Amino acid sequence: MAVALQVLPCLVRGPSRPLLWGASVARMASGMTLAEQARQLFESAVGAVQPGPMLQRALSLDPGGRQLKVRDRSFQLRQNLYLVGFGKAVLGMAAAAEELLGQHLVQGVISVPKGIRAAMEHAGKQEMLLKPHSRVQVFEGAENNLPDRDALRAALAIQQLAEGLTADDLLLVLISGGGSALLPAPIPPVTLEEKQMLTKLLAARGATIQELNTIRKALSQLKGGGLAQAAYPAQVVSLILSDVVGDPVEVIASAPTVASAHSVQDCLHILNHYGLRAALPRSVKTVLSRADSDPHGPHTCGHVLNVIIGSNVLALAEAQKQAEVLGYRAMVLSTAMQGDVKSVAQFYGLLAHVAAARLTSSMAAASMEEETKLHQLATDLQLPDLQLEEALEAVAEAKGPVCILAGGEPTVQLQGSGKGGRNQELALLVGAELGRWPLGPVDVLFLSGGTDGQDGPTEAAGAWVMSELASQAAAEGLDVATFLAHNDSHTFFCRLQGGAHLLYTGLTGTNVMDAHLLFLRPQ
C-alpha cells in the first residue's frame, strides 16, 4: 500500500505563502525536484512496512484451510485460534490478520492508542479498520503514550483471554512500538500510579531504557514473558513490528512473550545505584520479595514462536531500491542511528562535506583532519552496524547523484518549552551544520521523518533541509539558534517559506523508528 504524502501549510497567523523549494534545486531528469524525490523515497520506505503486506508475508493458510503456516512452522487450525495485540500499528495488523484468518478466528482483544480509529477513518484508510461485526474487541488508551486506566482495562481483558486458553488452542500475539504503555498490568498490590511514579523517578535520575524495562518487567503481570506464561499451555505465535534499534525481541514492548533474563537482584542493584531502594513503596518491596522466594524459579517460553515481521531494515532496503530506480548510487549507512541529535547532526554535516569532496574532482579533497574528525564522531555515536568507509568509497566511485540512507531513533535533551519532535529538531540542526561546511558544486538535501507519521506532539512526520537553510531563514528574519535553544523546531519550519519544508503523511498505521535520507547531486 502506498502512503499518500502531501505538503500542507502550517496553521500559523497571517496569510499562507506559496510552497517554495529553494532556488538552487534544479529539476531532475525524472521531472521531480530533489525535495519531491526525497519525499517519494520516504513514502516507499513507509509503504514497505505497512501492516497488511507484512502479515501476508509472515502468515498463510494451506489450501485446505486446516493449517496456519508461519514462516517455516505449521499449526493445526480447528476453531482454536485467538488473537491479542497492543501497539501503535496493531489496529491495521489486526484488520489484516482477521481478513486472512476469517472464520478460524474465535475471539480477539487489542489495545491501541486513543483516537486512532477515528484518525484512520478520517484519513480514509479503511484497510486499517476492523470490519463491522469483527470478532476482535478494541480498547483505546495510553493517551500521549502514557499508561492509563483505559490501557489497564485493556491489559486485564487480554490477560483474561490468555488465561482461559487450553493446550488445544493457538494464540496469535500482535506487537508493535508503543505496546509497553498499552499493556500496563502491575502485580498487586502495586498500583498503576506507584509503578508510574517509580519509572519517572528512575528516568529523572538518568536510568537507561534497559534499566527501566528491567524494573517494569519485574513489577508486571504481562511483561517479561508474563503474557506467554498466562497463555500456557496454549501455543503462542508472536508477530512483532520492531521499533527498537537492533530488533531485540527481549526489549520491544517490554517483551510480553520473551522470558526475562533478569533477577530480583538485578532490580535491587538498579534501585541502589539510583538511591531509590529506601524510598520504595511497601507494595513494590512486597512484590520483589515474593519473586525472590518463588519456588518455581524463572519462567520459560518454550511454547512461543517470536517472529520479527517488519523493521527499519526492511523500510530502508525498499527506499534504497527506489533510489536506484531514480538513478542514484544508494547505500545504507546504518539502521542503528542513535545518540543525542546534536551529535548525530554534527556527524551528518561533516559526512556531507567529506562525501561532497569525494564526489567531485573540481573541489579540493577534505583534509585528513576532517576525515579523522568524521571517524571520531562515528566512534562516539557507537553505531554497531555503521558502514562509513564503505559508503565513502561508494561515493568516490559514483559518477552521478548519491543517496545515503540511515535509520534509528536519536534522542533530544529538552531545554526549552517549544514545539517539535526529534526529526524536525535533527533536520534543523543538520541544516545549520550544512551551512558551516563548504560543499562545492554539489546540491545537498537532508530529510528526517518518523515512519509512524507523527513527530513529537505535532502533525508533521519530519522535515527536509538544504545547505541554503541559514540564508533562507535570515531572509525571513528567523534566527535558527534561537529556535534550537527553545526546542522549537516545528514553529521554525512552520514559519520558513510557509511550511514548505515540513513532511506531512498523517498517521501511517506503522512504526519502525525514523528514516534519514542524505542526497548529494553534482551541479
Side-chain angles (χ1 to χ4, degrees):
M1 173 211 157
V3 178
L5 291 183
Q6 54 185 323
V7 178
L8 302 172
C10 285
L11 299 176
V12 292
R13 291 178 183 173
S16 62
R17 304 184 189 182
L19 304 185
L20 306 173
W21 300 122
S24 70
V25 187
R27 290 269 165 183
M28 301 286 284
S30 64
M32 291 189 291
T33 64
L34 210 50
E36 288 165 346
Q37 289 190 332
R39 292 197 306 275
Q40 180 174 313
L41 292 193
F42 181 77
E43 174 183 344
S44 68
V46 173
V49 286
Q50 288 298 294
M54 286 188 301
L55 261 293
Q56 288 163 5
R57 283 192 294 266
L59 297 179
S60 64
L61 294 174
D62 73 341
R66 298 181 179 225
Q67 284 192 330
L68 176 66
K69 294 186 178 180
V70 186
R71 298 283 165 88
D72 57 348
R73 293 273 301 274
S74 294
F75 299 87
Q76 289 293 324
L77 294 179
R78 43 183 181 272
Q79 290 296 299
N80 62 340
L81 181 60
Y82 296 80
L83 180 151
V84 297
F86 29 90
K88 293 180 181 179
V90 157
L91 183 62
M93 292 170 76
E98 188 166 34
E99 183 75 24
L100 175 70
L101 301 170
Q103 295 302 310
H104 293 290
L105 183 61
V106 179
Q107 182 189 356
V109 179
I110 61 172
S111 178
V112 296
K114 198 168 189 65
I116 192 168
R117 283 181 293 181
M120 291 300 177
E121 194 163 357
H122 180 72
K125 298 189 176 185
Q126 297 303 317
E127 73 280 359
M128 297 283 183
L129 297 169
L130 292 159
K131 300 288 191 292
H133 314 298
S134 168
R135 299 184 182 192
V136 179
Q137 184 180 9
V138 181
F139 288 83
E140 292 190 6
E143 195 165 11
N144 297 321
N145 204 32
L146 296 171
D148 55 21
R149 289 282 153 191
D150 290 330
L152 177 59
R153 279 191 286 274
L156 295 179
I158 287 171
Q159 182 179 17
Q160 184 177 23
L161 185 152
E163 289 177 342
L165 301 178
T166 71
D168 294 325
D169 294 324
L170 173 62
L171 179 65
L172 189 63
V173 183
L174 307 177
I175 301 175
S176 76
S180 187
L182 286 158
L183 197 72
I187 300 172
V190 178
T191 66
L192 183 61
E193 291 74 19
E194 286 173 332
K195 189 177 175 184
Q196 284 179 288
M197 180 195 70
L198 180 56
T199 303
K200 285 179 182 176
L201 283 173
L202 282 163
R205 298 193 183 193
T208 66
I209 185 64
Q210 289 81 7
E211 290 170 328
L212 289 172
N213 273 340
T214 298
I215 300 297
R216 283 189 190 121
K217 291 176 186 179
L219 301 178
S220 173
Q221 298 184 75
L222 298 176
K223 295 179 171 72
L227 175 60
Q229 193 63 28
Y232 185 83
Q235 288 286 307
V236 177
V237 174
S238 182
L239 303 181
I240 304 167
L241 180 59
S242 172
D243 72 331
V244 179
V245 166
D247 308 331
V249 292
E250 69 277 8
V251 172
I252 301 166
S254 299
T257 56
V258 181
S260 177
H262 299 289
S263 66
V264 171
Q265 291 307 312
D266 294 324
C267 294
L268 296 177
H269 175 75
I270 292 167
L271 295 166
N272 281 332
H273 179 71
Y274 292 105
L276 290 173
R277 187 170 176 180
L280 290 178
R282 182 182 298 274
S283 59
V284 173
K285 292 178 180 177
T286 299
V287 168
L288 291 178
S289 64
R290 263 196 227 141
D292 204 21
S293 58
D294 185 350
H296 301 294
H299 301 308
T300 60
C301 292
H303 58 301
V304 179
L305 173 63
N306 288 300
V307 181
I308 299 283
I309 64 168
S311 68
N312 196 265
V313 173
L314 184 64
L316 291 186
E318 181 61 26
Q320 179 184 17
K321 187 170 80 173
Q322 293 304 316
E324 289 167 350
V325 169
L326 290 174
Y328 287 91
R329 176 70 182 269
M331 69 279 321
V332 175
L333 183 69
S334 170
T335 58
M337 194 61 70
Q338 54 192 333
D340 184 75
V341 285
K342 292 178 181 176
S343 300
V344 174
Q346 288 177 346
F347 171 76
Y348 278 134
L350 189 50
L351 172 63
H353 168 63
V354 172
R358 291 201 182 191
L359 185 60
T360 173
S361 56
S362 61
M363 177 184 172
S367 70
M368 184 64 69
E369 183 181 348
E370 289 164 350
E371 296 233 4
T372 301
K373 184 178 180 183
L374 177 62
H375 282 85
Q376 184 57 54
L377 286 171
T379 300
D380 293 344
L381 287 172
Q382 299 181 330
L383 308 178
D385 66 342
L386 185 67
Q387 303 290 309
L388 178 56
E389 200 48 55
E390 293 85 347
L392 290 174
E393 287 175 7
V395 169
E397 295 168 2
K399 304 299 182 188
V402 167
C403 178
I404 299 174
L405 307 100
E409 198 164 285
T411 53
V412 177
Q413 299 296 323
L414 291 176
Q415 297 170 313
S417 56
K419 192 175 184 182
R422 62 179 178 266
N423 288 285
Q424 293 163 85
E425 183 105 352
L426 177 60
L428 185 52
L429 283 162
V430 170
E433 289 291 328
L434 291 177
R436 291 182 55 227
W437 295 102
L439 299 170
V442 179
D443 285 326
V444 177
L445 182 146
F446 176 81
L447 179 148
S448 182
T451 56
D452 62 355
Q454 188 171 19
D455 187 37
T458 77
E459 292 185 356
W464 64 271
V465 294
M466 297 186 72
S467 56
E468 299 91 345
L469 178 82
S471 59
Q472 290 170 341
E476 299 193 37
L478 302 173
D479 180 53
V480 173
T482 299
F483 285 95
L484 285 171
H486 293 90
N487 296 115
D488 204 13
S489 56
H490 185 66
T491 303
F492 172 86
F493 282 117
C494 278
R495 293 182 183 174
L496 180 70
Q497 298 188 335
H501 289 254
L502 283 167
L503 178 69
Y504 286 96
T505 66
L507 292 176
T508 62
T510 191
N511 181 22
V512 292
M513 302 185 290
D514 306 332
H516 304 156
L517 308 176
L518 179 63
F519 297 82
L520 298 101
R521 185 178 67 83
Q523 293 170 355

